[in-house]
């Protein structure tokens, strides 16, 4: 799942491509020895980078997850190296809640100003 543009600037250096974020990501990868660290939903998942995922069979792609979903909180205890499957599963409830808030806000604006924006 791509990072929302409004969240990109919350990463160190303003981007996931910045030297600061790359340094943090490398630090987390070294800590985990390039094997995922287990997620809250799948604590035993330890698939190595590039290997076939034991559940999906697809290649493992490791990503750094913010456990509290706040890209500005880069406390190392808040960061965990996860495979994409576990990262997406961890983020799914947060994404659903965010989508619901945006839908409610859009409906409220439409109710306030009329469906034609009047």
């Amino acid at each position: 799942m791509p990072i929302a543009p409004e969240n990109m600037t919350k990463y160190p250096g303003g981007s996931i491509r910045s030297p600061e974020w790359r340094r943090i990501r490398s630090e987390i990868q070294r800590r985990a020895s390039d094997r995922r660290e287990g997620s809250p939903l799948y604590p035993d998942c330890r698939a190595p980078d590039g290997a076939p995922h034991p559940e999906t069979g697809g290649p493992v792609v490791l990503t750094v997850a913010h456990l509290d979903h706040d890209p500005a909180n880069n406390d190392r205890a808040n960061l965990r190296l996860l495979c994409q499957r576990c990262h997406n599963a961890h983020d799914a409830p947060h994404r659903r809640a965010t989508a619901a808030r945006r839908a409610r806000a859009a409906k409220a604006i439409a109710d306030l100003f009329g469906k034609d924006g009047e």
Side-chain angles (χ1 to χ4, degrees):
M1 193 75 168
I3 298 167
E6 64 268 19
N7 288 331
M8 186 65 77
T9 59
K10 296 178 183 177
Y11 283 81
S15 169
I16 59 170
R17 290 171 178 60
S18 74
E20 295 93 334
W21 177 249
R22 288 176 190 229
R23 182 182 49 77
I24 291 170
R25 187 180 196 290
S26 292
E27 181 183 323
I28 300 303
Q29 284 177 303
R30 278 191 305 278
R31 177 184 78 190
S33 300
D34 282 329
R35 293 178 70 84
R36 50 169 317 292
E37 298 179 285
S39 70
L41 290 173
Y42 304 105
D44 296 328
C45 184
R46 299 278 189 273
D49 195 23
H53 194 281
E55 298 295 322
T56 67
V60 172
V61 176
L62 298 178
T63 62
V64 176
H66 291 84
L67 296 179
D68 68 354
H69 308 289
D70 180 1
N73 180 3
N74 294 295
D75 182 278
R76 299 319 185 257
N78 184 50
L79 301 175
R80 194 164 295 165
L81 196 64
L82 303 179
C83 69
Q84 282 182 319
R85 172 185 173 251
C86 291
H87 195 159
N88 284 330
H90 176 69
D91 284 352
H94 178 71
R95 285 192 198 117
R96 281 192 298 273
T98 300
R101 278 194 303 277
R102 286 184 178 155
R104 277 194 307 276
K107 186 172 180 3
I109 289 170
D111 287 348
L112 182 63
F113 294 107
K115 291 185 182 196
D116 297 327
E118 295 175 10

